[in-house]
Amino acid sequence: DVFEVINRLFLASPAPLGNPDAASAIAYTLSPTDGADFNIPSTDNQQVEKLQDGKVVVTVKPVSAPVGGTFPYQGEDPTILDALKPNRFLQSDDKEVIKLARSAVGGTKDAGEAAKRIEAFVAEYIENKDLSVGYASAAEVAASKQGDCSEHAVLTAAMCRAVGIPARIVTGVAYVDDWSGLQGFGGHAWVQAFIGRNTGKWVGLDAAFKGTGRGGYGPGHIALAVGNGEPGDFFNLATSLGKFKIDKAEVKK
């Protein structure tokens, strides 16, 4: 049942956050439930501090795309190179995905601009934005133009990879004012694209939020895992969310 899934992938907010995108950063204090052990990854967009009482402070401060980054990626970092390879859910070698990616990027040579164009393209391209699709691959989304956040994410990542921009899927939670009548943090998926060379940055992209007028990636997102587009990463969210609660959210202007 859709609403059962929504409830399982939802965390209450300690207070209304209004528009998180208006903040420069938000520091979240997380505490374990019933002594559960949980790990939150540090990324270019969020820093994690573990406190002595078992709590964790996650400060989300999105980075901007480095100026002058080009594509395709020419570096030698094996982790970044792995984020260029096609796989069974991110089919960046699919003819239609390649066609869409080239159309979205147009004539720009700037990697940051290209990634933003792909994000905006996917936001408009997926016409039926609903929860009826369990988890589709990028090639399937390219054909159906249908899906929720995970479908927006896999198509965005595959299109980035298709033009030589490393990209990976992030699963976590994102703040919403009204998600099926609930206010707080819902299970979500978005993308990080690597802009630059070996000293570049992983920049957040959220075509699903952009497509519904919520601005894209911002400080209202808390990453819980970074992966390669496998559906298990997303469906494991329900287990992860049962291990902690959000005690405090400090909005920084």
Side-chain angles (χ1 to χ4, degrees), residues 133-172:
V133 180
Y135 194 99
S137 71
E140 291 170 331
V141 181
S144 71
K145 298 185 179 182
Q146 180 181 4
D148 53 31
C149 63
S150 60
E151 282 70 44
H152 284 74
V154 294
L155 184 57
T156 300
M159 287 174 61
C160 284
R161 292 184 180 195
V163 294
I165 300 174
R168 58 194 187 185
I169 303 293
V170 183
T171 54

Side-chain angles (χ1 to χ4, degrees), residues 175-199:
Y175 181 81
V176 288
D177 276 326
D178 185 3
W179 193 32
S180 297
L182 300 173
Q183 182 188 69
F185 293 83
H188 196 51
W190 62 96
V191 171
Q192 288 178 351
F194 189 82
I195 309 300
R197 202 167 178 178
N198 289 332
T199 57

Side-chain angles (χ1 to χ4, degrees), residues 45-127:
N45 300 283
Q46 70 180 33
Q47 290 72 50
V48 178
E49 178 187 3
K50 294 185 177 181
L51 306 180
Q52 291 184 347
D53 58 2
K55 294 184 178 182
V56 172
V57 176
V58 181
T59 301
V60 182
K61 186 176 183 179
V63 297
S64 300
V67 177
T70 59
F71 65 100
Y73 173 74
Q74 299 295 330
E76 300 177 355
D77 187 301
T79 300
I80 299 172
L81 288 171
D82 188 58
L84 281 171
K85 299 175 182 177
N87 61 40
R88 62 183 183 140
F89 284 95
L90 306 181
Q91 302 106 321
S92 53
D93 55 352
D94 177 82
K95 290 182 179 179
E96 185 62 23
V97 172
I98 294 171
K99 178 182 176 182
L100 294 178
R102 289 175 175 170
S103 174
V105 167
T108 186
K109 303 298 182 182
D110 182 270
E113 174 63 21
K116 285 295 184 183
R117 289 186 183 186
I118 289 173
E119 177 190 43
F121 181 93
V122 173
E124 293 293 330
Y125 184 79
I126 296 180
E127 299 171 343

